[in-house]
Amino acid sequence: MSSFTSLNFLEVTNEAGAAPRPPSSTPFSEDSEKEVEASSGKEVEPVDSLNLIDLQQKEERTTLIEEQLSETLEKESDQVSEKSSDFIVFRKCKFAENSLPSQEKNIFKDDGVSEYVEKPSSGSLETDNVKSTNNEKCQDSVGNEESYTSQEENESTEKPEEKLKKTVRVHSNENISDNTSVAHTSLKSCASVGTGFEKNFELNSILSAIRSNGFLEGSAENGAMVEEAWETIQKSYVYYKGKPVGTLAAMDPTAEALNYNQVFVRDFVPSGLACLMRSASAGGDPVIVKNFLLKTLHLQGWEKRIDNFTLGEGVMPASFKVLYDSHRQKETLAADFGGSAIGRVAPVDSGFWWIILLRSYTKCTQDYTLSEMPEVQRGMKLILNLCLSDGFDTFPTLLCAAGCSMIDRRMGIYGYPIEVQALFYFALRCSRQMLKPERDGKELIERINNRITALSYHIQKYYWLDFTQLNNIYRYKTEEYSHTAVNKFNVIPESIPDWVFDFMPLRGGYLIGNVSPARMDFRWFLVGNCIAILSSLVTPAQATAIMDLIEERWEDLIGEMPLKIVYPALEGHDWRTVTGFDPKNTRWSYHNGGTWPALIWLLTAACIKTGRPQIAKRAIELTEQRLSKNGWPEYYDGKSGRYVGKQTRKYQTWSISGYLVAKLMIENPANLPIISLEDEKRISKPKLTRSISF
């Protein structure tokens, strides 16, 4: 007997003898593995005139099965759509709490729910098709304990000849199952905010996707591309005192190194995720992630001084490099906290990425000893205290300067950029899972809870834009006072740029770039929207609408090479005033509407979470056509991403690792929980209010 809670529950059936076998990276359930072995062991009889009748009967039986499946999916999806707001569901394995010794139990909190996890003897996670090497029992973190009789258990009591179909499920959310069989869902159309999820799945698309093995098999050329990517990643390893502590930003032999010969915190995240998601038998290396986390934590403790001014104690470095002191004959570290960066801006996002990667390491390896170390607990608290400190703010969002995140040049993101707010929310929720309540931890957790509630409400209500909300803003009254004001930020309707009206489809929506007094930045930012989906900052309906928007505006946001970091580009007078005549951020280049293949992993994870893997598959196929042939560049130029960036570095490590993470997740969606969180059920969802002038 197992338990589950679901919203988007997808069950795909196929005739027992015709089910495709997943690759070795996909974990199997025990029942599914036995069925596959039984089916693969059957001898194939030659087709002759005596077998024509049998073949005809099999075809009729297949048609009947598909008709029965269609009816079953419609009934189940009706029930599933009425449940709580989980995006994708995964099965819970049987877990006996009393079977674990007390010293091997550990509480891993998620959204106020405690769960007990058996500590592994080794800190690695394998995803081969038999079982994980740590042999841990799977459990999930959803609070609603609802039991059901699994279809696999029912099938075990049936006779072999009565098993006419296989059951394959998409698994996700807070834990990775050792014995989970994974299939890829199909693209489905969903309405925008204000309506429920579609109750009918596209059966034909699902069966076609499963039968064609489109997600599971690639060409020999793509296989060579993956192999090349792994070899390049391993060559980029940076060692300190004989231990790998990170990866170089780029290894372009044709260009000056500048600061690309350093280990950047945000750049290493996809490299670390790739090392975590890859099975140990295939070369996965969680040790480098652990070393990186500890080394950057050590650098956090340094005194950070720029021009006689001391930075906050919790600031994490933007990057570091290993130097060799020939005089003392020893290796030393040189860290950059913003003093060497363009514009001399300290990175706000580095601390958030560090917390998110720490949680991913803990989730993947089940090694809780790292997050429980006193120095690691202190490092998290320093970051959080820096962000949660009291000030003059009347908003729960985090005030930031331009250049404090991935967009590290002047691009008009000062104020409350969506990328930083989404990462802030993600880091808060990850920290709440890992913080220990001892001493001041309990008070800090309470502050986190309060901020999470306020921040999610603020983002979901004031940053959200779809066709209905755009029309409301278009008809806003201005100069409204008191608490009854609808136009709370006094946004002038005439400030809405013309391009928004053409860009906004009837179906879809997104989180805009920035909201502050008398200002709404209507630009689309990919990182903020994808992180909002993965952290469950947006509602499930909003997440679906974001995917709808990507579909509707594919040529604008994806083009010939994924993915646009921001849309649209600043041109003419706007480019001159906002960027300060920045020669690198010319229109449709670099951060000003440039195309960044490194972000493919974020899109893939968001697509899997919302049940739209075909969007990611299509984007990955575009990436595979050119990325390796062009030498793994950092970014592309042009409105459709057709040209290799004019100042790009080739053999960019996170372009390579971003592609690898996307491939690992699309081949095995059970990797998603490493970088995804479930919906915050305790937070009341805001209702979009119509303008009083409407």
Side-chain angles (χ1 to χ4, degrees):
M1 188 72 67
S2 58
S3 304
F4 81 117
T5 304
S6 67
L7 174 65
N8 280 353
F9 171 79
L10 180 60
E11 185 177 78
V12 181
T13 62
N14 207 353
E15 190 174 358
R21 186 177 182 92
S24 60
S25 61
T26 306
F28 271 26
S29 65
E30 295 177 358
D31 294 339
S32 179
E33 185 180 2
K34 292 177 181 178
E35 292 176 10
V36 172
E37 290 176 353
S39 62
S40 62
K42 295 180 181 179
E43 297 182 357
V44 181
E45 299 179 0
V47 179
D48 54 20
S49 59
L50 297 178
N51 292 330
L52 293 179
I53 298 178
D54 293 337
L55 292 174
Q56 183 176 4
Q57 292 176 350
K58 289 183 179 180
E59 291 178 356
E60 294 175 353
R61 185 173 60 179
T62 302
T63 303
L64 179 61
I65 291 173
E66 294 186 358
E67 292 176 354
Q68 294 174 349
L69 172 60
S70 178
E71 296 176 359
T72 303
L73 287 176
E74 290 180 2
K75 292 179 182 179
E76 291 184 347
S77 61
D78 288 341
Q79 298 173 357
V80 167
S81 61
E82 298 175 359
K83 291 184 178 291
S84 61
S85 53
D86 297 331
F87 295 153
I88 299 178
V89 73
F90 65 103
R91 292 173 49 225
K92 292 179 64 179
C93 300
K94 293 183 291 183
F95 184 78
E97 176 181 337
N98 295 331
S99 64
L100 294 178
S102 59
Q103 65 269 23
E104 292 184 285
K105 294 181 181 178
N106 195 311
I107 297 177
F108 192 70
K109 304 180 291 298
D110 182 21
D111 303 342
V113 180
S114 297
E115 48 182 45
Y116 296 88
V117 181
E118 180 182 2
K119 289 186 178 180
S121 58
S122 61
S124 63
L125 175 69
E126 292 191 12
T127 56
D128 57 15
N129 62 346
V130 182
K131 61 181 180 179
S132 178
T133 55
N134 54 20
N135 284 329
E136 295 200 340
K137 297 181 179 178
C138 134
Q139 25 76 46
D140 85 15
S141 58
V142 181
N144 183 16
E145 297 293 336
E146 181 180 357
S147 299
Y148 80 108
T149 303
S150 67
Q151 191 163 7
E152 288 83 357
E153 293 177 358
N154 291 337
E155 289 182 354
S156 65
T157 61
E158 296 176 352
K159 297 178 180 179
E161 59 270 13
E162 294 176 349
K163 294 183 180 180
L164 298 179
K165 62 182 180 179
K166 282 188 171 297
T167 301
V168 184
R169 302 179 188 275
V170 172
H171 301 281
S172 173
N173 302 337
E174 291 304 287
N175 288 281
I176 300 176
S177 171
D178 296 345
N179 58 349
T180 302
S181 177
V182 179
H184 300 271
T185 59
S186 70
L187 184 66
K188 62 178 185 297
S189 60
C190 295
S192 186
V193 176
T195 61
F197 286 89
E198 289 290 327
K199 294 185 178 182
N200 295 316
F201 298 103
E202 297 179 9
L203 176 63
N204 293 334
S205 297
I206 297 172
L207 293 176
S208 176
I210 297 298
R211 288 170 178 170
S212 66
N213 285 333
F215 292 127
L216 304 179
E217 295 181 0
S219 64
E221 182 179 358
N222 293 340
M225 180 175 174
V226 172
E227 184 178 351
E228 176 194 356
W230 280 116
E231 291 177 356
T232 309
I233 288 292
Q234 292 171 352
K235 291 178 182 178
S236 72
Y237 276 19
V238 174
Y239 293 85
Y240 179 70
K241 296 183 178 179
K243 297 180 180 179
V245 293
T247 52
L248 294 174
M251 297 181 296
D252 190 344
T254 64
E256 186 180 357
L258 298 179
N259 62 346
Y260 286 88
N261 61 353
Q262 301 183 26
V263 179
F264 281 82
V265 173
R266 77 175 68 92
D267 289 34
F268 178 76
V269 171
S271 297
L273 292 175
C275 292
L276 290 174
M277 291 180 181
R278 195 184 194 192
S279 63
S281 60
D285 187 11
V287 175
I288 188 176
V289 181
K290 183 175 183 178
N291 293 340
F292 169 84
L293 292 168
L294 290 174
K295 190 51 58 181
T296 48
L297 177 67
H298 170 71
L299 297 174
Q300 182 199 36
W302 287 12
E303 182 182 8
K304 298 169 276 288
R305 184 182 295 272
I306 300 177
D307 290 344
N308 298 321
F309 179 74
T310 303
L311 279 65
E313 195 176 5
V315 173
M316 279 286 189
S319 63
F320 66 88
K321 60 182 176 181
V322 179
L323 301 175
Y324 182 75
D325 188 339
S326 58
H327 179 69
R328 293 187 294 176
Q329 293 187 347
K330 61 181 297 187
E331 292 178 329
T332 61
L333 291 176
D336 176 24
F337 295 93
S340 301
I342 293 178
R344 312 193 89 183
V345 178
V348 175
D349 63 336
S350 290
F352 299 150
W353 279 121
W354 183 85
I355 292 175
I356 293 168
L357 185 61
L358 174 63
R359 184 258 177 193
S360 296
Y361 171 84
T362 305
K363 191 71 181 176
C364 182
T365 65
Q366 300 292 309
D367 177 14
Y368 297 91
T369 58
L370 179 62
S371 63
E372 291 178 347
M373 292 173 60
E375 53 267 41
V376 174
Q377 291 283 313
R378 182 177 181 273
M380 281 192 290
K381 291 176 182 178
L382 288 176
I383 296 172
L384 296 172
N385 284 327
L386 190 64
C387 301
L388 297 174
S389 58
D390 296 330
F392 291 96
D393 292 313
T394 57
F395 312 139
T397 43
L398 199 62
L399 183 62
C400 302
C404 65
S405 58
M406 176 182 172
I407 299 179
D408 57 2
R409 301 167 77 96
R410 182 176 165 185
M411 268 289 293
I413 65 167
Y414 63 89
Y416 307 91
I418 185 59
E419 175 180 339
V420 173
Q421 312 313 318
L423 286 171
F424 181 32
Y425 179 85
F426 203 170
L428 287 175
R429 293 196 59 194
C430 290
S431 299
R432 189 175 58 183
Q433 293 183 1
M434 297 181 290
L435 280 174
K436 300 173 71 175
E438 287 82 357
R439 298 181 181 178
D440 57 342
K442 186 175 182 181
E443 179 184 354
L444 184 56
I445 292 173
E446 184 177 352
R447 292 170 62 193
I448 291 174
N449 288 333
N450 294 335
R451 193 61 167 263
I452 284 175
T453 302
L455 183 59
S456 62
Y457 182 92
H458 185 89
I459 297 296
Q460 290 171 12
K461 183 166 185 177
Y462 300 121
Y463 279 68
W464 181 252
L465 188 72
D466 57 11
F467 182 84
T468 301
Q469 187 66 0
L470 178 60
N471 197 76
N472 291 343
I473 298 172
Y474 176 69
R475 299 181 60 117
Y476 266 167
K477 278 186 174 182
T478 58
E479 306 300 326
E480 292 184 305
Y481 298 91
S482 79
H483 298 289
T484 60
V486 175
N487 187 1
K488 295 182 183 297
F489 299 95
N490 196 36
V491 175
I492 311 301
E494 286 73 18
S495 68
I496 304 175
D498 293 337
W499 66 265
V500 178
F501 297 102
D502 296 328
F503 177 74
M504 179 58 66
L506 293 175
R507 169 179 169 264
Y510 66 103
L511 297 175
I512 63 176
N514 217 320
V515 175
S516 57
R519 179 195 179 208
M520 297 183 76
D521 185 349
F522 290 91
R523 287 177 295 174
W524 151 273
F525 289 85
L526 177 108
V527 175
N529 277 269
C530 287
I531 290 293
I533 292 176
L534 295 179
S535 63
S536 294
L537 174 57
V538 292
T539 67
Q542 288 174 338
T544 299
I546 292 173
M547 290 294 110
D548 291 340
L549 179 83
I550 293 175
E551 277 191 279
E552 295 289 334
R553 295 292 177 257
W554 182 270
E555 295 301 323
D556 295 327
L557 304 179
I558 308 297
E560 297 184 25
M561 171 59 71
L563 304 150
K564 281 284 178 295
I565 185 175
V566 58
Y567 181 89
L570 298 170
E571 303 182 62
H573 177 73
D574 289 338
W575 169 76
R576 290 190 291 270
T577 56
V578 174
T579 72
F581 288 81
D582 189 348
K584 195 169 186 178
N585 272 329
T586 54
R587 63 177 184 173
W588 306 115
S589 179
Y590 201 54
H591 291 145
N592 188 16
T595 295
W596 292 72
L599 303 178
I600 188 69
W601 75 271
L602 281 172
L603 177 68
T604 301
C607 288
I608 294 174
K609 184 166 186 178
T610 53
R612 314 284 275 275
Q614 283 186 320
I615 296 179
K617 180 178 181 290
R618 184 180 172 190
I620 292 173
E621 289 173 348
L622 286 174
T623 304
E624 290 175 332
Q625 291 176 11
R626 296 173 53 201
L627 188 59
S628 176
K629 296 176 182 178
N630 295 150
W632 305 95
E634 180 183 16
Y635 66 94
Y636 286 79
D637 285 350
K639 195 170 184 178
S640 61
R642 181 176 296 178
Y643 306 100
V644 176
K646 58 186 176 183
Q647 295 189 43
T648 189
R649 289 298 189 282
K650 293 191 175 182
Y651 296 96
Q652 187 81 13
T653 304
W654 72 339
S655 294
I656 301 170
S657 59
Y659 164 72
L660 288 174
V661 173
K663 290 287 285 186
L664 288 167
M665 284 192 292
I666 205 68
E667 290 174 355
N668 182 13
N671 282 317
L672 177 65
I674 297 177
I675 195 60
S676 174
L677 293 173
E678 282 317 293
D679 188 26
E680 177 68 87
K681 301 176 180 61
R682 297 180 300 177
I683 298 177
S684 60
K685 308 302 178 186
K687 295 181 180 179
L688 297 179
T689 308
R690 285 185 178 274
S691 171
I692 58 177
S693 62
F694 183 72

